[in-house]
Amino acid sequence: MSREIIAFCCEHSATPAANLAGRLGLHYSENLRLIPVPCAGRVDVVHILKAFEKGAAAVLVLGCEDGACHHIEGNTRARERVRYSRTLLEEIGIDGRRVGMFNLAPDTPHKFLDIVNETNETLKELGGGK
Amino acid sequence: MTEAKIGVFICDCGGAMKNIDFPTIKGELDAIADVASVNLSSDLCLEEGRAKMLSCIKDENIDRVVVAACAPQLKEHVFQQVLRSAALNSYLMSMADIREQCSWAHEGDVTTKACGLIKMAIGRARLLQPVEQKDLLVKQEVLLVGGGFSAMSSAIQLSRLGLHTTLLVGDSALGVRSRELEELLGLEVAPMTEAIDRDKNIEIVTSAELVGMEGTAGNFAVRIRKGGEEFVQSFGAIIFATGPRTEILPQDPGSKSSTRIVSQERLARWLRASSPQPRPRSVAFVFDSSDECSRLPTLVTLNNALAVKRSWGSEVYVFCKNVKVDSEGAEELYHQARERGVVFLKFEDSPGISIEDGLVRIEAKDVLLGQDATLTCDVVVAEEKVSPAAGTDDLRSLLNVRTDSRGFLQDDNVHLYPVASERKGIFFVGDCRGDLDAARIVADVSSAVMGAHELLARGRITVEAERVKVDPQKCRACLTCIRVCPHSAIQLVRIDSEREVAEISDLACDACGICAGICPAKAIAFQGYSDEQILAQIEVLKAS
Amino acid sequence: MDPHVLVIGGGIAGIASALELANAGLTVHLVEKEAAIGGRAASLCCKATDVCSECSVCVVAQKIREAAIHPRISLLTNSVVRRVSGERGDFHVEIAEKPRFIDPERCIACGVCAELCPAEPKAVCLPSAEAVPFSYVLDERLCLRSRGQDCDLCRESCPTKAIEFEPAGRRRELTVAAIVVATGFEVFDARGKGSLGYGRYPNVLTGLDLEETFNREGCLRLPSNGKEPRNVAFVQCVGSRDESHGYCSQVCCKYAVRLARLINYQIPDAQVTIFYIDLQTAGKGFVQFYEECREKVRFVRGVPVEITQTPSGELEVKLENISQGKASRELFDLVVLSVGIAPRKDSWDLASILGINLGDCGFFDTSEPLNSTKTNVDGVFLAGTCQGPKDIPDSMGHGMAAASKVIQALGVQAR
Ligand SMILES: Cc1cc2nc3c(=O)[nH]c(=O)nc-3n(C[C@H](O)[C@H](O)[C@H](O)COP(=O)(O)OP(=O)(O)OC[C@H]3O[C@@H](n4cnc5c(N)ncnc54)[C@H](O)[C@@H]3O)c2cc1C
Ligand SMILES: Cc1cc2nc3c(=O)[nH]c(=O)nc-3n(C[C@H](O)[C@H](O)[C@H](O)COP(=O)(O)OP(=O)(O)OC[C@H]3O[C@@H](n4cnc5c(N)ncnc54)[C@H](O)[C@@H]3O)c2cc1C
Ligand code: SF4
Ligand code: SF4
């Protein structure tokens, strides 16, 4: 397993939040690989599973705040899919905590940082990550 | 498919990314077979840099572009322009954010990560396909549902812009409700209805009802029922202005029908014409016991309290929890009312109202004085609750949109404010979407008029063609996508005598990809974010 | 040729107006006094807890970006309108661009200049992390050259040669068919209420300070010692609904309740109290949110008349007129003054350039009831808080309405 965290980031929320974190010099671990998606609801269970197949240590799906999704319910769809992929992962012996869904707003870089740090903390326990 | 010729353009942002070793990255990328050219630059977004980028694309016959620079948010449009100048479709570019998401986000040497990010973009770029633009015809007709102030002024303004409208009115005539509110709002309804009657651009269908709707923005097929008959008419956009509903909150079940406890409307009628004789010596108003939606009750109360003072000179008491003055001119009205001697008593718990000896008795605990206040009045104007118009829920399901937490039209999602819905071409104005005062309604109307104009003014609209597309061969017509599309952009269409398949409207689609993420047959391709293009980025993990 | 329109003021109202006009096919010149567009709303913070609190702040950044990349909107930042003549359909406008040391067209925000600048505090900086245009600005007053020193570090090192020390101000002349005024508001200066201790006691902040702190730090700490606040009070209607401001600012109750909830969410055992006259909780999406807040936040009727600091650094809030009907005192470790929307003091300048009227409260006046975008000058329209208090959605709606009135006045017809 590599140490990489794959983060599918909604372009309306998490991607701009990540950019702001960079601009404000809020540093986080390098093992985060951000894949922009137009809406968290674009993320398919297959994408999550493939990421693990390719050796990701963790997968994050980051979307808009509850109630503020640009596509009304893309974030809740994403949450359902993350939950489903968690059960699939558990079935093949991968700890379900390796996949997570979080909500944040585009202007909350600190929240973005917290999510990345938290994930790395979890990985410390589970192995992999930084 | 012939192999792509990828041009990689890397910018170090004038030396702002010192923790990246660019020559190493170039060396590594040069080794990739289909990467035709790797260019290092310090000023890619400036004129000089763009000129070099353009000539490189042309000279080397580049057909896929990767830009590794700052956040795409900032300059993507600038680089897309370069592609267009090179006669390349602007979708044939993939960007790697090596500044905000890499160099500035981490301490220490991040060359490996930067290289990985660029490879991800290369993987995606390799698979990109062009997205063309095309023009769609739109029907230059607007349907206005409602016959109140909002609907009438929308029609007048749309007509001024040369758009033809149909007013679908539930009542038997225009402005029935508005007439009752004339005094409150200080507007005259008659000139409006007359102007509409004269206007050749405006058609009126009264005592009618919207019973069905199909299609998408630019071409909605609307089924209208009038006098037991139904007909279908097509519209490019629909504006809903169905207003609110008011209910008198039951005060004291026993005293509900009493002439001593009246509605605002009844009071207004008294004030207008037949004052009760003798004139009431004391009038009390009660509102805001539930602390909900009392912006409008506040306004009516303030206006009517002043009118009572003016016309009858009675003693006036107002019992409420909060005076909601968050609308234009409301604080001024409140001030005037107090100056004219209207007494305001603020309560925390709803007052008790009962009838005693033919008079109304109100008991409340006044929080400002901290005392129990008991008052006997000739007339009490009962609390009115403003809620969504009857039939709103039917409209909601008919339109496949959401209502807000109180059941008004328009979801509580900030991205829809002020007047949009989750569906292109459908707008909500006025009190059908909440408790708006006249000034806010006026703004709503003009905003929706602007929205309809933008969609319909040219009779055609330019859209991205088939950016998100269902493959009819793969579609199993399971309807999953139709069910989940938040913008109702997908419909079932018949392709031959045997098969129906899902089809996406390029105009209604907002390119979220929720459908592509859920389709069990994997029949939906989203250019730029297709499964292959997303997986190609993940693929790089293994390589690194 | 499609008409040109001038929008004065690049806040959310001006931006909403410009976007609508540009989408309708008109060419828009958006003039902004400051170096970056977005206005006040661009400095506000997201107030979401684990759910969106519908404060609309995140909508602003998105609209700013849309305006910045729109091909039919030209941004003229750092500029003001000097003279206007003519009439509807044919206004001649003279715009003065203040001297600008760093050219935003050339600045790539690499930050090399800021790294090297020896001045303390640095004379070159970004207006904000989200600034649009994303370009550094040089503050003349902080630059060592203004103190006679011969520093040349930033100019020398700028990789794109974007810095110039003796810039000439620029003048532009435009001909436009209509003008939208969207110059916004001024935040009430809480120092104007001396008895509340703002500016004297470190732990008395304004709502705006709080917004900016959350934006910068993502959380709230006591300015005096950097610790988590335990007992926070909000004081409503500071600079609204009083003798000199005879209106409700329409935004303070909502931002206060949202911020109170946010503090409570981040620091669950902190007690938050809101002192108010009347709570303005009407409006889309707010009623339910407020109901939830009532369980967590304490609401007390009556606003403090005086705030003093005890020797131990706590803040003593003196109230009159509260439920018991007598004066009382309470202690807090942080007090937030919910400052409201006040008219811009420089509105008069623009009013005289354009010939439009100012109303009693100091906002631009409308000439027709129920048509609050219309002014006494044909072809000049109002948008946003320069006409009266509004929140972000209402400012956007008003801006769109102004755009609508512009195209109606210019007779832009459907084809
Ligand atoms: C009690 C009350 C007092 C108010 N007082 C003030 C005030 O003092 N100051 C102020 O600024 N504002 C006030 N307002 C708010 C507002 O200005 C008025 O309500 C205004 O009339 C709203 O206009 P509207 O067009 O949105 O709705 P309405 O005037 O209510 O019009 C709605 C129309 O839609 C029709 N309709 C409803 N459903 C359908 C359907 N399914 N199909 C077809 N037609 C349908 C109705 O028959 C009606 O004609 C008040 C509102 C209320 C309810
Ligand atoms: C503390 C605080 C918290 C708030 N919180 C919220 C909230 O949570 N949610 C919400 O919806 N609203 C909130 N608001 C309200 C919100 O800030 C306003 O609704 C919004 O900023 C109004 O936008 P505007 O475009 O009208 O004005 P402004 O934001 O003031 O923009 C006006 C622009 O015009 C420029 N300008 C001024 N004069 C000139 C001139 N002569 N020439 C050129 N340019 C000029 C200014 O520099 C400025 O950029 C809050 C307000 C305050 C004070
Ligand atoms: S979800 Fe897929 S298979 Fe089902 S109808 Fe839609 S496109 Fe066809
Ligand atoms: S991409 Fe989104 S908006 Fe477009 S059809 Fe699919 S679900 Fe609907």
Side-chain angles (χ1 to χ4, degrees):
Chain A
M1 192 186 295
S2 79
R3 21 187 296 278
E4 247 77 28
I5 302 170
I6 292 278
F8 293 103
C9 288
C10 160
E11 286 177 342
H12 295 289
S13 53
T15 310
N19 289 339
L20 269 182
R23 288 187 192 173
L24 291 171
L26 302 173
H27 293 155
Y28 50 91
S29 64
E30 287 163 48
N31 59 341
L32 189 92
R33 289 292 180 90
L34 193 153
I35 298 182
V37 283
C39 171
R42 168 68 192 99
V43 180
D44 193 333
V45 176
V46 177
H47 304 153
I48 298 173
L49 298 183
K50 272 276 186 214
F52 284 107
E53 189 189 309
K54 299 291 169 197
V59 174
L60 296 176
V61 180
L62 307 185
C64 301
E65 288 288 358
D66 257 346
C69 175
H70 273 247
H71 301 289
I72 314 295
E73 48 188 25
N75 53 2
T76 44
R77 300 264 173 224
R79 189 171 287 281
E80 284 161 23
R81 288 174 213 165
V82 166
R83 202 173 294 143
Y84 180 55
S85 52
R86 187 171 288 152
T87 59
L88 294 181
L89 288 175
E90 299 265 359
E91 270 169 35
I92 54 169
I94 295 178
D95 196 305
R97 282 173 292 171
R98 288 187 187 275
V99 50
M101 165 82 205
F102 295 90
N103 305 83
L104 73 171
D107 45 355
T108 52
H110 298 89
K111 200 161 178 183
F112 177 80
L113 209 73
D114 289 345
I115 294 168
V116 178
N117 291 341
E118 208 174 290
T119 309
N120 270 314
E121 282 305 308
T122 314
L123 287 181
K124 251 188 220 155
E125 197 183 313
L126 301 175
K130 191 160 177 158
Chain B
M1 198 169 70
T2 55
E3 195 173 79
K5 263 191 110 182
I6 303 171
V8 182
F9 299 86
I10 307 175
C11 179
D12 76 353
C13 192
M17 297 184 234
K18 294 204 181 60
N19 51 356
I20 297 177
D21 176 0
F22 288 95
T24 306
I25 294 182
K26 177 169 160 55
E28 219 172 292
L29 300 179
D30 274 331
I32 301 174
D34 53 0
V35 170
S37 153
V38 180
N39 306 268
L40 295 184
S41 137
S42 279
D43 53 7
L44 196 62
C45 63
L46 296 183
E47 225 174 294
E48 308 86 294
R50 296 195 310 253
K52 271 186 251 159
M53 180 174 166
L54 178 62
S55 57
C56 174
I57 295 176
K58 281 185 176 156
D59 297 348
E60 314 243 355
N61 286 321
I62 302 288
D63 61 8
R64 298 289 184 281
V65 175
V66 169
V67 173
C70 53
Q73 250 184 329
L74 280 172
K75 301 286 180 191
E76 190 175 32
H77 64 290
V78 170
F79 300 126
Q80 281 172 344
Q81 195 53 49
V82 176
L83 267 75
R84 275 184 222 115
S85 316
L88 267 186
N89 187 282
S90 62
Y91 275 83
L92 300 175
M93 174 179 76
S94 190
M95 280 191 77
D97 176 356
I98 54 168
R99 193 174 80 171
E100 274 87 342
Q101 279 171 31
C102 184
S103 171
W104 290 1
H106 315 299
E107 272 161 315
D109 186 1
V110 287
T111 307
T112 321
K113 173 165 178 183
C115 193
L117 290 179
I118 302 174
K119 284 181 180 164
M120 285 163 76
I122 292 175
R124 175 170 178 264
R126 203 173 271 141
L127 303 169
L128 289 174
Q129 293 297 319
V131 175
E132 305 298 343
Q133 304 220 308
K134 73 170 182 209
D135 272 5
L136 288 180
L137 292 180
V138 289
K139 182 101 181 162
Q140 286 184 303
E141 291 273 347
V142 183
L143 176 65
L144 282 158
V145 184
F149 172 67
S150 317
M152 290 192 289
S153 37
S154 302
I156 293 170
Q157 292 191 26
L158 283 164
S159 166
R160 222 176 270 158
L161 292 173
L163 284 167
H164 196 269
T165 61
T166 301
L167 275 162
L168 176 68
V169 190
D171 303 329
S172 57
L174 277 180
V176 178
R177 281 276 283 292
S178 310
R179 226 161 254 150
E180 283 166 8
L181 288 165
E182 257 183 337
E183 257 135 86
L184 289 179
L185 302 182
L187 61 84
E188 285 180 75
V189 176
M192 282 179 98
T193 50
E194 281 159 22
I196 289 174
D197 281 336
R198 277 195 309 270
D199 200 320
K200 284 193 208 62
N201 271 336
I202 307 175
E203 209 138 318
I204 309 166
V205 185
T206 50
S207 309
E209 196 184 355
L210 188 153
V211 289
M213 194 195 79
E214 273 167 46
T216 50
N219 204 349
F220 292 109
V222 178
R223 200 139 40 86
I224 296 169
R225 185 186 296 150
K226 181 177 160 73
E229 273 178 54
E230 282 186 15
F231 59 97
V232 176
Q233 205 174 330
S234 133
F235 296 95
I238 311 180
I239 298 176
F240 287 86
T242 48
R245 177 176 46 155
T246 48
E247 300 164 85
I248 302 182
L249 282 188
Q251 299 291 335
D252 173 347
S255 57
K256 207 175 152 193
S257 56
S258 156
T259 51
R260 296 271 168 204
I261 302 180
V262 301
S263 67
Q264 298 273 11
E265 251 174 64
R266 172 111 165 249
L267 177 81
R269 244 177 289 139
W270 277 353
L271 283 165
R272 262 201 307 270
S274 53
S275 298
Q277 289 301 335
R279 287 181 173 177
R281 271 161 303 149
S282 52
V283 178
F285 292 82
V286 180
F287 69 93
D288 199 34
S289 56
S290 59
D291 210 347
E292 207 187 278
C293 266
S294 35
R295 186 190 271 157
L296 300 180
T298 299
L299 290 172
V300 200
T301 303
L302 292 177
N303 279 312
N304 282 343
L306 276 165
V308 168
K309 273 278 172 211
R310 241 186 344 257
S311 315
W312 303 340
S314 326
E315 279 173 29
V316 181
Y317 301 92
V318 175
F319 289 83
C320 66
K321 200 175 208 170
N322 289 287
V323 186
K324 299 273 200 278
V325 285
D326 65 338
S327 31
E328 209 173 305
E331 176 73 16
E332 242 170 86
L333 275 179
Y334 180 40
H335 194 76
Q336 263 178 40
R338 278 179 304 174
E339 251 175 13
R340 301 265 161 85
V342 176
V343 178
F344 288 80
L345 296 130
K346 306 254 177 93
F347 58 75
E348 217 45 71
D349 305 310
S350 298
I353 298 176
S354 53
I355 302 237
E356 226 180 68
D357 303 332
L359 294 175
V360 204
R361 193 180 143 91
I362 308 171
E363 280 169 283
K365 190 175 162 68
D366 179 55
V367 289
L368 291 182
L369 300 172
Q371 288 168 354
D372 287 326
T374 306
L375 213 101
T376 320
C377 291
D378 290 343
V379 172
V380 165
V381 185
E383 166 145 30
E384 272 176 13
K385 190 177 164 193
V386 179
S387 46
T392 300
D393 209 47
D394 298 334
L395 277 181
R396 177 193 55 77
S397 56
L398 199 142
L399 300 176
N400 195 23
V401 293
R402 296 212 203 176
T403 44
D404 70 8
S405 42
R406 289 181 297 165
F408 285 95
L409 286 171
Q410 196 186 45
D411 189 27
D412 275 338
N413 185 314
V414 289
H415 302 295
L416 301 177
Y417 301 165
V419 294
S421 73
E422 51 270 64
R423 301 190 62 172
K424 262 178 221 162
I426 293 183
F427 304 92
F428 301 127
V429 308
D431 284 4
C432 67
R433 67 172 197 100
D435 40 354
L436 310 189
D437 61 299
R440 287 183 171 92
I441 294 179
V442 170
D444 260 21
V445 165
S446 301
S447 301
V449 164
M450 202 67 206
H453 179 265
E454 187 186 327
L455 187 64
L456 308 179
R458 285 168 53 231
R460 57 182 64 237
I461 191 151
T462 310
V463 295
E464 281 160 334
E466 302 185 340
R467 184 159 174 221
V468 189
K469 185 178 186 328
V470 179
D471 180 346
Q473 297 312 313
K474 289 190 190 158
C475 173
R476 291 193 236 114
C478 67
L479 312 187
T480 309
C481 57
I482 297 182
R483 199 165 39 74
V484 300
C485 175
H487 308 292
S488 303
I490 316 181
Q491 289 178 294
L492 211 55
V493 296
R494 178 161 294 284
I495 46 166
D496 55 39
S497 57
E498 268 138 58
R499 266 177 11 107
E500 283 185 308
V501 295
E503 189 183 87
I504 297 174
S505 150
D506 288 331
L507 174 49
C509 172
D510 205 16
C512 63
I514 294 177
C515 56
I518 210 166
C519 170
K522 299 269 159 279
I524 303 179
F526 184 169
Q527 199 39 247
Y529 301 96
S530 71
D531 286 338
E532 296 74 23
Q533 289 154 358
I534 289 176
L535 295 178
Q537 297 175 68
I538 297 172
E539 198 71 35
V540 176
L541 265 191
K542 206 170 170 188
S544 65
Chain C
M1 200 186 68
D2 284 317
H4 287 223
V5 177
L6 173 71
V7 177
I8 310 175
I12 187 63
I15 287 173
S17 214
L19 279 170
E20 291 300 318
L21 289 165
N23 286 339
L26 281 66
T27 301
V28 182
H29 305 273
L30 184 57
V31 174
E32 168 58 53
K33 202 176 206 160
E34 305 294 331
I37 59 168
R40 181 55 64 201
S43 65
L44 305 177
C45 70
C46 164
K47 303 173 189 70
T49 53
D50 51 352
V51 292
C52 167
S53 75
E54 272 133 41
C55 73
S56 295
V57 168
C58 61
V59 179
V60 177
Q62 184 200 334
K63 293 286 163 196
I64 291 176
R65 189 181 126 73
E66 273 175 41
I69 67 177
H70 201 294
R72 272 193 296 272
I73 299 178
S74 71
L75 298 184
L76 309 171
T77 52
N78 215 23
S79 305
V80 288
V81 172
R82 270 287 138 73
R83 221 195 317 268
V84 174
S85 60
E87 55 185 20
R88 188 187 73 199
D90 190 30
F91 285 111
H92 301 277
V93 183
E94 188 185 310
I95 291 163
E97 183 182 326
K98 288 178 263 176
R100 209 198 277 269
F101 299 87
I102 304 185
D103 180 359
E105 298 282 317
R106 296 205 55 86
C107 173
I108 54 176
C110 65
V112 172
C113 52
E115 227 166 85
L116 294 174
C117 176
E120 195 58 56
K122 291 190 184 296
V124 272
C125 67
L126 280 168
S128 85
E130 284 183 281
V132 172
F134 193 48
S135 162
Y136 276 77
V137 291
L138 190 152
D139 188 337
E140 207 181 350
R141 290 160 301 176
L142 298 175
C143 176
L144 296 182
R145 297 175 66 88
S146 69
R147 289 175 228 159
Q149 295 185 35
D150 201 19
C151 177
D152 194 22
L153 282 170
C154 59
R155 195 177 64 113
E156 268 299 287
S157 59
C158 173
T160 66
K161 301 271 160 283
I163 306 182
E164 200 186 327
F165 284 138
E166 266 114 42
R170 249 195 295 180
R171 255 164 213 291
R172 277 198 185 81
E173 309 234 329
L174 297 174
T175 304
V176 295
I179 300 175
V180 175
V181 181
T183 49
F185 68 103
E186 219 166 79
V187 180
F188 174 74
D189 183 0
R191 285 183 190 80
K193 298 245 177 220
S195 62
L196 299 181
Y198 184 67
R200 258 185 297 143
Y201 310 131
N203 292 347
V204 176
L205 298 177
T206 64
L208 184 64
D209 294 335
L210 219 61
E211 295 265 358
E212 289 174 347
T213 308
F214 272 112
N215 229 356
R216 209 173 41 240
E217 328 272 349
C219 61
L220 180 64
R221 296 290 176 262
L222 291 176
S224 59
N225 60 12
K227 290 196 187 136
E228 277 187 352
R230 302 266 120 212
N231 199 356
V232 183
F234 280 81
V235 178
Q236 295 310 109
C237 294
V238 177
S240 312
R241 306 189 66 190
D242 58 15
E243 263 93 78
S244 39
H245 304 86
Y247 53 85
C248 160
S249 287
Q250 302 188 17
V251 296
C252 344
C253 281
K254 288 189 208 162
Y255 81 63
V257 175
R258 286 176 173 129
L259 286 170
R261 180 74 191 96
L262 180 59
I263 294 171
N264 198 269
Y265 174 74
Q266 291 193 348
I267 315 170
D269 53 352
Q271 172 68 54
V272 188
T273 306
I274 298 184
F275 293 104
Y276 67 99
I277 306 176
D278 292 293
L279 272 178
Q280 307 304 325
T281 56
K284 197 133 180 110
F286 199 75
V287 177
Q288 204 194 21
F289 177 76
Y290 167 64
E291 279 305 315
E292 286 159 23
C293 292
R294 288 223 282 205
E295 290 162 21
K296 308 271 181 355
V297 177
R298 189 173 146 242
F299 290 91
V300 176
R301 210 184 280 265
V303 293
V305 285
E306 193 183 359
I307 296 173
T308 48
Q309 187 172 302
T310 64
S312 62
E314 281 176 304
L315 296 166
E316 189 178 83
V317 170
K318 192 175 148 212
L319 293 156
E320 267 168 17
N321 269 359
I322 65 156
S323 307
Q324 289 74 30
K326 46 189 183 254
S328 73
R329 289 162 204 276
E330 278 193 55
L331 291 178
F332 295 94
D333 54 10
L334 183 75
V335 175
V336 184
L337 309 181
S338 297
V339 286
I341 286 179
R344 287 186 70 100
K345 289 192 201 72
D346 60 6
S347 295
W348 177 246
D349 298 344
L350 197 61
S352 55
I353 290 174
L354 291 166
I356 58 178
N357 295 334
L358 285 177
D360 293 340
C361 296
F363 296 101
F364 290 123
D365 207 4
T366 54
S367 62
E368 261 176 36
L370 286 190
N371 191 353
S372 60
T373 55
K374 194 169 158 53
T375 67
N376 54 309
V377 177
D378 191 16
V380 178
F381 299 86
L382 302 176
T385 48
C386 67
Q387 182 266 328
K390 286 171 193 67
D391 62 4
I392 293 167
D394 284 347
S395 299
M396 277 169 58
H398 205 242
M400 290 160 81
S404 186
K405 294 293 179 188
V406 167
I407 63 167
Q408 289 174 41
L410 297 181
V412 178
Q413 291 276 314
R415 277 169 268 168

